[in-house]
Amino acid sequence: MRYTRPVWLTHSGEKKDFEVYSCHVSPDGSRLVTAAGDGHVRVWSTEAIFKAADPSFNGPKQLASMSYHSGTIHTVRFSSNGRYLASGADDKIVCVYTLDPHPPSHAASFGTDEPPPVETWRIYRRLIGHDNDVQDLGWSYDSSILVSVGLDSKVVVWSGYTFEKLKTISGHQSLVKGITFDPANKYFATASDDRTIKLWRFNPPGPNSTSHDQMSNFALETTITSPFVTSPLTTYFRRCSWSPDGNHIAAANAVNGPVSSVAIINRGSWDGDIHLIGHEGPVEACAFSPRLFSKVPPSKQPVDSKGQPHSNLVTVIACAGQDKALSVWITSNPRPLVITQDMALKAISDLAWSPDGRNLFVTSLDGSIICVSFEPGELGYEVSLEETEKTLEKFGAGRRGAGILEGTNGLLLEEQSREGEIRGVEGRMGALMGDGPSGQDVTVNGNGVPTPAQTSGPKPNGVNPGPDSRNGQVNGSSGGVGEAQKASEDQNKEKLERLKSRVTITKDGKKRIAPLLLSSSGGHESSLPRSQLMSASTNAQGVKADAPQSILDLSKPYDGLPKGGLASLLLGNKRKLAAVEGAEDGQAEKRLALTAMDGSVPILSNTSEGLVPSRPTATPTGQHPTPDFVRPAVTNASLTLSQLRLAVPKIRSHIVQTYGGVSTNPSNINGILPTEAPRADLVIEARNPSQLPASGKPQDQEPCRVTVTRRGQPIWQDFLPRSTLLVTGNKDYWAAACEDGSVYAWTPAGRRIINAMVLESQPVILECQEKWLLCVTAVGMCYVWDIKTLCSPHPPVSLAPVLDVAVHSLQDHLTHGPALTSAHLNSEGRIVVTLSNGDGFAYSPSMYVWQRLSELWWAVGSQYWNSTGSSVGDLRSSSGQGEGQNVSAGVIPFLERGTTSETMVRGKAYMLQRLVKQLLSREGYEGFESSVSVAHLENRIAAAMMLGSKDEFQVYLLMYAKRLGAEGLKTKVEELLRGLLGGIYGDMDGIQDVEEKARRNAEDRRWGSNTDLLCGWPRKTLLKEVILILGKNRELQRITVPYANIIGVTESHGEEDSAMVI
């Protein structure tokens, strides 16, 4: 071991040397950077330090000096890729520098004795996000994020690509003085004066990630307190370090009873039962050597049965602090390898190892910078970097080498891929700065007219009951866009004028014009935050919401409860009417009495028990209120023997359904009378007899009257012998279901299309979607009919499999099973159902089986679970291909939102999430998160292909390709490209038979089929987009370059492809 302290290696001042607070070595080992109280960041040549005793060495010593801070600099760190250098100071700013490849254009600054610069480090970014001194910095091992901590108790996460602030974490209760990153790139740890170390789990963000994408990222994993209960608060730093094998964290400023120590925290259990004791004062800095060591030379290492070298690997750690002593430890020895007392005159502030693990740099507050060099074999024998990578693989480390280029075509492919990525970043930054176009309309499937489905969430059936649907333009219509926008503007302007001139009468009888709240006028979009602000803003700017999300934290309180919490939800709020209305002296009761004289029925009564629903009574005028229902439906005897029993709707006296299918409100899903008057042009009404028949005999039953009106004018009328339970309809037909299990259908003009279809029990759900009609009976049978061709795509289907009948029949005791919450059809006649346990299913008519599309497992295990409420149906495609086709938009996001809502309200996911968190730290489950996330994307792709959801299939396919490239899954990448290639070069042009060509185009739901389309997209377009996404991964270029050559991607370099908006 040799100590080197060159005289020139210092931050010198006029009277004394300034305190040196931090140091770090570049990844290539050629530069040492230091920071001191003089406000300068100095870059030194390590070669000059190592050869300081050699008088023949005449190379440069100080390479550069930067003074962009206005105060003392506390920390400096090189990025792991060596591209950037970051510094943090007491001016609350983090500066990021980059090396200019051009030689310096100037000599030393005038008036100073600084040596002329050898390198030019230019300021790249100034990051403002702290309210107090910045104490420490840390880069992730893939340089995707930079984390800064400071005396404001905040942990700020910055993007390593755009240096945008991704998240501010306020988890600590006191000053934060240290940070270290997991070499497996799964966690980072922060040390604070609140006597805790907090572990934060993160997923590396992508180049296009924004703060909105990372809202659920950087979640708290655990808090470690036991080794720091009585630790002193006098240290300036708490610089901790993570071992290169990922197994341990060395925590500074720990205590073992009354003695200062360094706590060694074990990964997984996160306990600190090991202490390094030997320092007389608090330890401020710890640093693991970046290399693993072996006790024996590589040539003498024992081998296992497979011929692989096998030896016990050890790590080396250096510790220093306020006692001015340096200690070096090896994990195989309980005693320190060396202790150097009084190494400096003041406390040691920072430690930094060279990448080869043979040199240690020490900085002190007395201004000294010392290099400690170890002889070969003194610490052990370094193992290869491949061995270090193997030790990290068990923790799911995804670090891979730069790879080798597969020729010039691979370089061209990589360049095109990165150009597209950079364009996405520049476009997003330009939109944030106001350079891009604003006010873009969100369209679905090429529809240029905004519909209610786009403002209140995607319809589960992919139908937008807007003005364009009445004209028969559904899913792909773009006609009348300008007229619709102009009419909408005129309507908003008229509404605004009416609101401005609204007159109100005060209590004293004076007339006043009510003030108008501009944000609610409807003339312009409100500037207040909205629930869909995240998805709307990102999609409007053309940004993909495809970055992996962190696991949904279902253990947090759900903020969807009403005011008053759970007690209010269960028991209600008993309040006086006067307190609600703000009235005094009985004014509210007087108004209720006046309204009752006109025959109106109040909805609430002010009683001694608070506000209770009012009981309708006969009014003085003789009018009687309409009852909620006439009587229960007469159930069929088959229900007593049925495996399933669903609730049958009660017979109501008046049933109204507007044009466009059932409402999205679950309470009105069966066509019950809505609380507001229908606004549609066409309305179907069914009036059941509510009194005794005219004959006076109970066994005689009057018919049910069915009427269809347009704007109040009757179009046709019909009578049914039995009472009606449900009605529905659209522009193609009307339908009604009666209590005897019969279903009737009429044309728009009132002609009966088919004889009464008789079912085995009463219908409980009646749903229409274009030409398809769905009926679910009380015994759980689902019928689907094509009303135009009068046929069915498949036999009746039972709901027994999706209601867990097989699971519950295997249990010893009866348990509460899930309930059916909704049943819908998509545009291709697929049955889509949701259950009360959050699961979503769809029936595959080609395989005659139910398929589970959404479940709780994905919510707690996948990084891609949509926990923000953003809809994939909001993503746009500018391709003109596939217009007029029946595609289903928004089905999968609708099911996943239902799963999130059910699990958060009912609290079913907490136990499963706790189990998953325990599994993540166990050996053998290192790739759990990655495997579940990839499987979730594969599940989405299969669901979109089965449902025929064209746009969703495209989005999920590109997300899947990006994840495969990040994981480096070569076999799956090759399989994906081979499946996309399919029949691109099939002889479709040579087929003269029109029916044969149509049949082959219709069979585009199989990966290897001989068609030129895949789920409505040209295979060549999809393959090109996937290749461009995978092109920047050099380790995959041996697979991607041949496919790029086949479709001519490398030959058309520089051409713009407007087929998709990524």
Side-chain angles (χ1 to χ4, degrees), residues 573-584 586-593 602-612:
N573 290 326
K574 295 183 178 180
R575 298 173 294 174
K576 296 295 183 180
L577 186 60
V580 177
E581 296 290 340
E584 298 178 356
Q587 294 293 331
E589 286 79 0
K590 293 178 182 179
R591 286 199 301 271
L592 289 178
I603 61 174
L604 296 175
S605 296
N606 190 18
T607 65
S608 59
E609 297 295 326
L611 296 180
V612 297

Side-chain angles (χ1 to χ4, degrees), residues 124-171:
Y124 185 73
R125 290 286 188 274
R126 282 187 176 91
L127 310 181
I128 302 175
H130 284 276
D131 301 326
N132 210 327
D133 299 5
V134 179
Q135 285 294 102
D136 206 1
L137 296 170
W139 293 86
S140 63
Y141 275 75
D142 60 353
S143 299
S144 61
I145 59 172
L146 167 68
V147 178
S148 59
V149 298
L151 301 185
D152 55 357
S153 306
K154 292 181 181 178
V155 179
V156 183
V157 183
W158 312 88
S159 170
Y161 305 98
T162 62
F163 293 99
E164 176 185 354
K165 181 164 64 175
L166 298 180
K167 193 170 186 179
T168 300
I169 306 173
S170 301

Side-chain angles (χ1 to χ4, degrees), residues 399-519:
R399 295 187 296 163
R400 294 177 299 275
I404 302 175
L405 283 173
E406 298 292 334
T408 57
N409 288 338
L411 187 60
L412 290 174
L413 180 61
E414 180 179 348
E415 184 178 352
Q416 291 187 62
S417 177
R418 295 193 181 277
E419 281 180 0
E421 197 172 81
I422 294 174
R423 281 197 301 267
V425 175
E426 292 176 349
R428 178 172 58 82
M429 295 302 295
L432 290 175
M433 299 301 294
D435 299 334
S438 60
Q440 298 178 358
D441 294 332
V442 179
T443 60
V444 177
N445 293 339
N447 193 345
V449 182
T451 63
Q454 294 166 344
T455 57
S456 60
K459 296 292 182 183
N461 301 321
V463 174
N464 297 329
D468 55 338
S469 355
R470 296 192 185 97
N471 299 329
Q473 300 173 353
V474 181
N475 290 343
S477 174
S478 59
V481 176
E483 291 79 359
Q485 292 179 349
K486 185 176 180 181
S488 177
E489 293 176 359
D490 295 341
Q491 184 178 4
N492 291 335
K493 189 177 296 183
E494 293 176 1
K495 179 182 177 182
L496 184 60
E497 293 298 330
R498 289 197 305 269
L499 291 175
K500 287 182 178 178
S501 60
R502 184 176 58 183
V503 179
T504 59
I505 301 177
T506 60
K507 292 183 178 180
D508 53 0
K510 296 181 180 180
K511 294 183 178 180
R512 293 287 185 270
I513 296 179
L516 175 63
L517 179 63
L518 294 179
S519 62

Side-chain angles (χ1 to χ4, degrees), residues 318-362:
C319 308
Q322 291 185 358
D323 61 352
K324 299 168 285 187
L326 171 69
S327 62
V328 180
W329 304 72
I330 298 180
T331 53
S332 61
N333 194 342
R335 291 182 172 273
L337 178 66
V338 61
I339 294 181
T340 304
Q341 298 287 347
D342 297 327
M343 191 170 187
L345 300 179
K346 292 184 180 180
I348 296 176
S349 56
D350 202 0
L351 303 171
W353 288 89
S354 61
D356 58 5
R358 295 184 180 181
N359 300 280
L360 174 66
F361 294 91
V362 184

